Amino acid sequence: MMMMSQSHPSVHPLELLEGPPVIARNPAGPRVRMKDIQGMPGTPAGLALRLSQFVFVVLSLCVMPTTFDFPSVTAFRYLVAAVGLQSLWSLSLTIVDIHALLVKRCLRNSKVISLFTIGDGITSTLTFAAASAAAGITVLVSNDFNNCEENHCTRFETATAMAFMSWFAISPSFLLNFWSLASMR
Amino acid sequence: MMMMSQSHPSVHPLELLEGPPVIARNPAGPRVRMKDIQGMPGTPAGLALRLSQFVFVVLSLCVMPTTFDFPSVTAFRYLVAAVGLQSLWSLSLTIVDIHALLVKRCLRNSKVISLFTIGDGITSTLTFAAASAAAGITVLVSNDFNNCEENHCTRFETATAMAFMSWFAISPSFLLNFWSLASMR
């Protein structure tokens, strides 16, 4: 249609009136890629993901220290450190999301999304590694050694499960941010 | 410029001669997104990534069973299963990449890339979880229990390190595939 209006302007001069809609449609083209997918920063589903990350990670952070012997195992100390970092990150992003929703501000900025993606990637990797390591130890103690009388197996399992749940909530955040970053380029 | 040539065609009729390049540039726009980034399937760097995944994972798969007591620990059995699956996946993709390079065929097809992304995502997650769990046990045995006389700490560490190295090679594959999938949409 653009080709037509450009190659025969003198034959069909009235077509020029159709110009503005074409021009308006053109710059809108790339913006279609950046439409709000639920779960991205600044959307209600994104806020729900952040809140669930924070809740699970705080539960893990509260349950693990109730087993007073956890510092004797490196993997459990690492789990506490990783979910501690994750809780700070998720709390910050929750606040950013609430702010963005309240003032109806769009967080669709390439630099902001890059920052969120890198942060999500690092914290989710650390949390997942910590949860896996803790799961390895928990299974070793409860299944391989059958030594749950002397150890707080249930609490170890709960803390590990909460860390995994938080990873299940942070992965979609990471993937959606990465997706929206790739769509922007 | 397009706006100018469309709104004043009769004032500057010569500008119409510039029409074809504009038209030619337009459909080429989306194709720029799909350019070959090194490391994607069908590129030499992509093949190098696949080969290194396969080599590391096979090393891990060879080292772990030399410790004859590994089946007593669930995490080590899981590591062997995960790197076994990963080695099959990486070998298949290595063959696909070699074939694509030999016949100079482009693998830039939305369905193919989706399949590669999902496979890479699943295998890399399994390998990383297994490596982390094995690392948790290895650190428990070597640091927390200081019990390396009775256990094959070095071999456990080597197998775990090889699994991590293979994860470091598969992550870029996954991220690049995901990126290229997002750019296609």
Side-chain angles (χ1 to χ4, degrees):
Chain A
M1 170 153 147
M2 258 170 48
M3 198 184 285
M4 281 174 63
S5 68
Q6 286 194 337
S7 46
H8 312 289
S10 48
V11 182
H12 309 287
L14 271 179
E15 274 192 11
L16 287 174
L17 293 175
E18 289 179 19
V22 173
I23 292 161
R25 216 180 302 145
N26 232 19
R31 243 174 249 162
V32 173
R33 299 176 165 278
M34 296 187 201
K35 69 173 184 288
D36 262 351
I37 300 177
Q38 281 299 316
M40 283 182 176
T43 59
L47 178 60
L49 276 178
R50 293 291 169 196
L51 272 178
S52 51
Q53 286 162 29
F54 183 65
V55 168
F56 285 126
V57 103
V58 163
L59 282 176
S60 177
L61 201 55
C62 292
V63 170
M64 190 51 97
T66 60
T67 63
F68 297 103
D69 52 351
F70 86 91
S72 62
V73 178
T74 309
F76 291 155
R77 286 204 305 273
Y78 171 47
L79 179 72
V80 170
V83 295
L85 179 69
Q86 170 85 66
S87 67
L88 291 178
W89 174 257
S90 293
L91 181 63
S92 325
L93 277 267
T94 307
I95 294 169
V96 169
D97 266 4
I98 291 176
H99 174 76
L101 279 174
L102 284 182
V103 303
K104 302 211 182 299
R105 200 176 156 189
C106 183
L107 292 173
R108 201 53 42 78
N109 173 310
S110 172
K111 277 184 192 162
V112 172
I113 299 279
S114 305
L115 180 72
F116 288 178
T117 309
I118 294 170
D120 278 345
I122 293 173
T123 55
S124 71
T125 308
L126 291 180
T127 304
F128 187 61
S132 303
I137 308 274
T138 307
V139 171
L140 182 82
V141 170
S142 61
N143 284 20
D144 304 335
F145 291 172
N146 274 318
N147 197 359
C148 275
E149 292 84 32
E150 294 177 28
N151 291 286
H152 312 276
C153 286
T154 320
R155 291 185 196 168
F156 291 156
E157 279 164 12
T158 311
T160 305
M162 292 299 119
F164 271 117
M165 294 297 285
S166 122
W167 177 75
F168 279 119
I170 197 169
S171 298
S173 294
F174 168 68
L175 293 178
L176 280 169
N177 278 335
F178 194 70
W179 183 277
S180 101
L181 195 64
S183 311
M184 273 182 198
R185 297 290 159 134
Chain B
M1 169 152 141
M2 260 170 49
M3 197 182 284
M4 282 173 62
S5 68
Q6 286 195 334
S7 46
H8 312 288
S10 50
V11 181
H12 309 288
L14 273 179
E15 274 191 13
L16 288 175
L17 292 176
E18 288 180 19
V22 173
I23 291 161
R25 215 180 301 144
N26 234 18
R31 243 173 250 162
V32 174
R33 297 176 168 279
M34 296 189 201
K35 69 174 182 289
D36 262 350
I37 300 176
Q38 280 299 315
M40 284 183 177
T43 59
L47 179 61
L49 275 178
R50 293 291 168 195
L51 272 178
S52 50
Q53 285 161 30
F54 183 65
V55 168
F56 284 127
V57 104
V58 163
L59 283 176
S60 178
L61 201 55
C62 292
V63 170
M64 188 52 96
T66 60
T67 63
F68 298 102
D69 52 351
F70 87 91
S72 62
V73 178
T74 309
F76 291 155
R77 285 204 306 272
Y78 171 47
L79 180 73
V80 170
V83 295
L85 179 69
Q86 170 85 65
S87 66
L88 291 179
W89 175 257
S90 293
L91 181 63
S92 324
L93 277 268
T94 306
I95 293 169
V96 170
D97 266 3
I98 290 175
H99 175 76
L101 279 173
L102 285 182
V103 303
K104 301 212 183 300
R105 201 180 155 185
C106 183
L107 292 173
R108 200 54 41 77
N109 172 311
S110 173
K111 277 183 192 161
V112 172
I113 299 279
S114 305
L115 180 72
F116 289 179
T117 310
I118 294 170
D120 279 346
I122 292 173
T123 54
S124 71
T125 307
L126 291 180
T127 304
F128 187 61
S132 303
I137 308 273
T138 307
V139 171
L140 182 82
V141 170
S142 61
N143 284 19
D144 303 334
F145 291 171
N146 274 318
N147 198 358
C148 275
E149 292 83 31
E150 295 177 28
N151 291 288
H152 311 277
C153 286
T154 320
R155 290 184 197 169
F156 293 156
E157 280 163 11
T158 310
T160 306
M162 291 299 118
F164 271 117
M165 294 298 284
S166 122
W167 178 75
F168 279 118
I170 198 170
S171 298
S173 293
F174 168 68
L175 293 178
L176 280 169
N177 278 335
F178 194 71
W179 182 277
S180 101
L181 195 65
S183 310
M184 272 181 199
R185 297 289 157 134

